[in-house]
């Protein structure tokens, strides 16, 4: 079986410092127009490398109420099948769903032909949640980001960060977020060594987005929990401050793949905060989420609104040189 791959066309471009970084082009997967709606988001990978997304057959239905896979390892099909779930755990029968409408995370468990759904954690103060990051230390520990999009965002108020474990949701101190000038939070991911958590922040002033940054939080090496410390600035998109960060995923080497929603691209950032590459996604106007999957876990899949029709969802792929962190963890289960 060969792994699905995207086209590679290296071309040097300049980043904010003037340094040259390679750029490449992903492959449009040409999903059926009725496959996913415009709310396509929340990409997740299972142990087999199959890749899933939110808003399956979303046209005419409430957004993000259903799920399906758009890439099936083995057959390489691009026709999605209906399935419940989006963020897979080490237990192959269990997935976690961020329920942004009800301030909770749902746990969906498949028992033969029966599907059980219960609440993994909830708190009415949670903003959304927007996305989920899994701990590399504990199977029962996850992290949540959330945001409130307003014309003028407020640090420590317009975005938040939560930990969920054993049914309990705990908010990270908003005062620490405020001190770090963290506004709308969205993309969230943990490093493969379990030492850090990455969180994006976007700031609005007068209805305009004026900054997009990624912050790095320290994690306790024994418990996996967030340390009550001020985070450090990991990366600042000074060259494109108005382009929102959305999904973030790490590979096993600790590199971050970050979607630039509205720019039609994904960027790759090294563990020491250097821009390594830009991946242009054909046919996609605003990539919202991404994951590394495929049969060997090294194909980057991204989803978002189509460039020529913002009412439907598109997907693109690109063959990378490293395995995804989530895929790697699932192989050890």
């Amino acid at each position: 079986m060969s792994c699905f791959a995207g086209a590679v066309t290296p071309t040097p471009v300049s980043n904010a410092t003037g340094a040259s970084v390679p750029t490449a082009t992903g492959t449009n997967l040409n999903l059926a127009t009725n496959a996913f709606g415009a709310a396509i988001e929340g990409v997740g990978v299972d142990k087999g490398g199959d890749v899933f997304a939110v808003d399956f057959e979303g046209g005419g239905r409430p957004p993000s109420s259903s799920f399906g896979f758009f890439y099936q390892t083995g057959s390489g099909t691009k026709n999605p099948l209906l399935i419940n779930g989006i963020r897979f755990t080490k237990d192959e029968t269990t997935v976690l769903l961020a329920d942004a409408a009800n301030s909770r995370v749902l746990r969906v468990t498949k028992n033969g032909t029966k599907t059980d759904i219960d609440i993994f954690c909830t708190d009415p103060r949670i903003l959304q949640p927007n996305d989920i990051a899994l701990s590399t230390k504990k199977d029962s520990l996850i992290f949540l980001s959330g945001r409130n999009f307003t014309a003028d965002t407020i640090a420590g108020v317009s975005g938040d960060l939560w930990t969920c474990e054993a049914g309990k949701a705990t908010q990270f101190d908003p005062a620490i977020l405020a001190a770090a000038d963290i506004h709308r939070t969205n993309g969230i991911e943990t490093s493969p060594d379990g030492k850090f958590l990455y969180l994006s922040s976007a700031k609005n002033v007068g209805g305009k987005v004026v900054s997009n940054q990624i912050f790095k939080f320290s994690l306790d090496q024994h418990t996996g929990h967030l340390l009550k410390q001020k985070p450090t600035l990991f990366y600042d998109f000074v060259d494109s401050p108005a382009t929102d960060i959305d999904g973030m995923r790490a590979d096993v080497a600790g590199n971050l793949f970050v979607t630039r929603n509205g720019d039609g691209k994904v960027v790759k950032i090294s563990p020491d905060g250097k821009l390594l590459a830009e991946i242009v996604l054909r046919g996609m106007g605003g990539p919202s989420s991404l994951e590394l999957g495929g049969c060997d876990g090294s194909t980057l899949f991204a989803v978002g609104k189509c460039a020529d029709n913002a009412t439907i969802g598109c997907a693109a792929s690109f063959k990378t040189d490293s395995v995804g962190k989530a895929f790697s963890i699932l192989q050890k289960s």
Side-chain angles (χ1 to χ4, degrees), residues 161-203:
L161 173 61
W162 287 73
T163 298
C164 284
E165 184 178 22
K168 182 181 180 181
T170 303
Q171 186 178 25
F172 185 75
D173 191 348
I176 297 179
L177 299 183
D181 199 33
I182 293 177
H183 289 246
R184 287 189 289 113
T185 62
N186 194 335
I188 188 169
E189 177 63 300
T190 51
S191 62
D193 58 10
K195 292 182 178 180
F196 304 108
L197 179 134
Y198 299 97
L199 183 69
S200 75
S201 169
K203 181 179 180 179

Side-chain angles (χ1 to χ4, degrees), residues 9 30 71 73 116 131 140 150 155 167 183 202 244 283 291 303-304 330:
T9 53
N30 296 314
Y71 177 78
T73 303
D116 296 325
D131 202 356
S140 60
T150 56
H183 289 246
D244 267 356
E291 185 57 279
V303 302
L330 292 173

Side-chain angles (χ1 to χ4, degrees), residues 24-107:
T25 303
T27 300
N28 190 333
L29 296 185
N30 296 314
L31 301 182
T33 57
N34 63 346
F36 288 88
I40 187 170
E41 250 275 18
V43 181
V45 63
D46 67 8
K47 185 175 182 178
D50 302 321
V51 190
F52 300 74
V54 176
D55 207 20
F56 174 75
E57 295 183 339
R61 301 183 182 181
S64 305
S65 62
S66 55
F67 304 83
F69 61 77
F70 62 86
Y71 177 78
Q72 184 183 13
T73 303
S75 67
T77 180
K78 306 182 189 83
N79 297 316
L81 301 177
L82 186 60
I83 191 169
N84 289 326
I86 198 61
R87 198 66 166 136
F88 285 77
T89 67
K90 288 183 179 180
D91 178 355
E92 294 180 62
T93 65
T94 303
V95 292
L96 299 176
L97 163 64
D99 182 2
N102 296 289
S103 301
R104 63 185 182 177
V105 174
L106 299 177
R107 176 169 47 204

Side-chain angles (χ1 to χ4, degrees), residues 147 149 184 202 209 211-212 241-246 259-262:
R147 63 176 188 149
F149 197 104
R184 287 189 289 113
V209 184
S211 75
N212 264 268
T243 302
D244 267 356
I245 300 165
D246 209 327
T259 61
R260 307 306 315 284
N261 199 333

